[in-house]
Amino acid sequence: MDTPAAEVDIDEALVRSLLLEQHPDLADRELRTVTNGWDNVILRLGDDLAVRMPRRQAAAKLIEHEQRWLPEIAERVSTAVSAPVRIGRPGSGFPWNWTVARWIEGDRAADASHASLRRIATALAEFVRQLHTLAPTDAPFNPVRGIPLAVRSDAVDERLASGLVPDPPLIADAWHRALVAPVWTGGPVWLHGDLHPANILVRGGGLAAVIDFGDVCSGDPATDLSTAWLTFDAVGRASFCAALDYDDATWARARGWAILLGTALVCFSADNPSHLAIGLHALEQVLLD
């Protein structure tokens, strides 16, 4: 299956019109589309800013979550994050909120070798440690992140039966072992919610930033810890895990989350080779442990 279709056409002309209406001091900057993702279109605005536009209704609320909470999260973590610097509202026929954020230079970790990513393992672990503090009661709830794995069991079973997932009996066995791990009994912590290497930037061999907080929410930290399999090879994973103080049950659930997210990337990225590669890597790594 492919990336979900956009529900509204977004181009430079639309964004320019919105800037003229709401942020005219930015409207004469150079503007160019950088990427079209599952949920958002990203445009570069001049040298130092980016515009983040939701491309479908499901993403519109996620932008609002970023606008509300990411400035506070940015104060809590030492790693750069894509916090908004301007808020955009509906206008010019565009129905949802949108964001102007600081442009952060760097390359996607998804485009780097896994051997080179070993160098960011402890830095990414420190970002996770700083992020995973108790979240307030009004933190966003995400129905597909931070929740007990069992809630998503039917979805994983469907993917395993799709014919798209490699080694389905072995992945199914690993998934069922993760399902029996004790559930999270601590309080809900802040989660990035989608901590895979396409949302991690590297620069000069180090960690440059963590971006795309659309799935920010609270819940079980195991969701974010799945990046141990999504992002790293065995050597990098060992460094990442050693730098964090979580019990065996949490790491077992994290392995389950790597399967949950990895199977999603494999089954829904027919037109996105990068995401497909991340999913296949995660499932390969799960079977190594």
Side-chain angles (χ1 to χ4, degrees):
M1 294 181 65
D2 292 341
T3 301
E7 296 168 9
V8 62
D9 292 328
I10 299 170
D11 57 19
E12 287 88 347
L14 170 65
V15 177
R16 183 84 65 193
S17 177
L18 287 165
L19 289 168
L20 281 166
E21 285 181 358
Q22 302 179 34
H23 301 285
D25 59 312
L26 302 178
D28 62 350
R29 289 179 167 225
E30 181 183 358
L31 186 66
R32 62 181 176 87
T33 301
V34 175
T35 186
N36 239 302
W38 270 50
D39 292 328
N40 301 285
V41 177
I42 308 299
L43 303 95
R44 189 162 184 175
L45 181 62
D47 292 330
D48 60 339
L49 296 175
V51 182
R52 187 166 166 82
M53 306 285 296
R55 59 194 292 275
R56 55 195 189 108
Q57 175 67 51
K61 193 66 177 177
L62 307 185
I63 284 280
E64 293 178 18
H65 291 165
E66 288 184 327
Q67 291 172 343
R68 166 65 181 88
W69 294 107
L70 197 46
E72 294 185 20
I73 289 172
E75 295 178 356
R76 188 176 300 120
V77 299
S78 55
T79 300
V81 298
S82 49
V85 297
R86 302 280 186 96
I87 302 300
R89 306 295 183 189
S92 295
F94 186 75
W96 307 307
N97 276 20
W98 49 282
T99 291
V100 178
R102 184 167 62 91
W103 178 266
I104 304 172
E105 291 289 348
D107 300 312
R108 300 188 320 155
D111 300 325
S113 72
H114 292 107
S116 70
L117 291 179
R118 297 169 187 170
R119 291 181 286 178
I120 71 164
T122 55
L124 188 63
E126 178 63 11
F127 164 79
V128 168
R129 187 191 66 77
Q130 293 172 345
L131 176 65
H132 284 184
T133 57
L134 285 177
T137 56
D138 58 341
F141 170 75
N142 188 319
V144 294
R145 298 288 194 273
I147 56 176
L149 287 171
V151 176
R152 302 291 291 151
S153 191
D154 288 347
V156 173
D157 289 343
E158 289 175 8
R159 295 169 196 162
L160 291 172
S162 71
L164 298 172
V165 176
D167 301 311
L170 295 177
I171 297 296
D173 178 67
W175 170 248
H176 292 136
R177 281 186 279 127
L179 284 177
V180 301
V183 299
W184 176 248
T185 57
V189 302
W190 276 116
L191 303 175
H192 176 278
D194 202 23
L195 194 59
H196 61 65
N199 291 333
I200 298 166
L201 299 182
V202 295
R203 185 174 62 246
L207 178 64
V210 175
I211 60 173
D212 193 348
F213 279 74
D215 283 309
V216 66
C217 62
S218 63
D220 182 357
T223 302
D224 283 350
L225 299 179
S226 63
T227 202
W229 293 267
L230 289 158
T231 301
F232 297 112
D233 62 8
V235 175
R237 183 162 56 256
S239 297
F240 177 80
C241 296
L244 290 164
D245 186 22
Y246 283 106
D247 60 19
D248 290 344
T250 300
W251 287 114
R253 293 193 309 278
R255 187 169 178 250
W257 274 100
I259 295 170
L260 198 163
L261 298 172
T263 54
L265 289 166
V266 166
C267 290
F268 298 101
S269 299
D271 60 345
N272 191 326
S274 177
H275 279 184
L276 176 60
I278 294 169
L280 291 171
H281 171 78
L283 299 180
E284 175 187 78
Q285 294 299 304
V286 160
L287 297 182
L288 292 178
D289 291 349

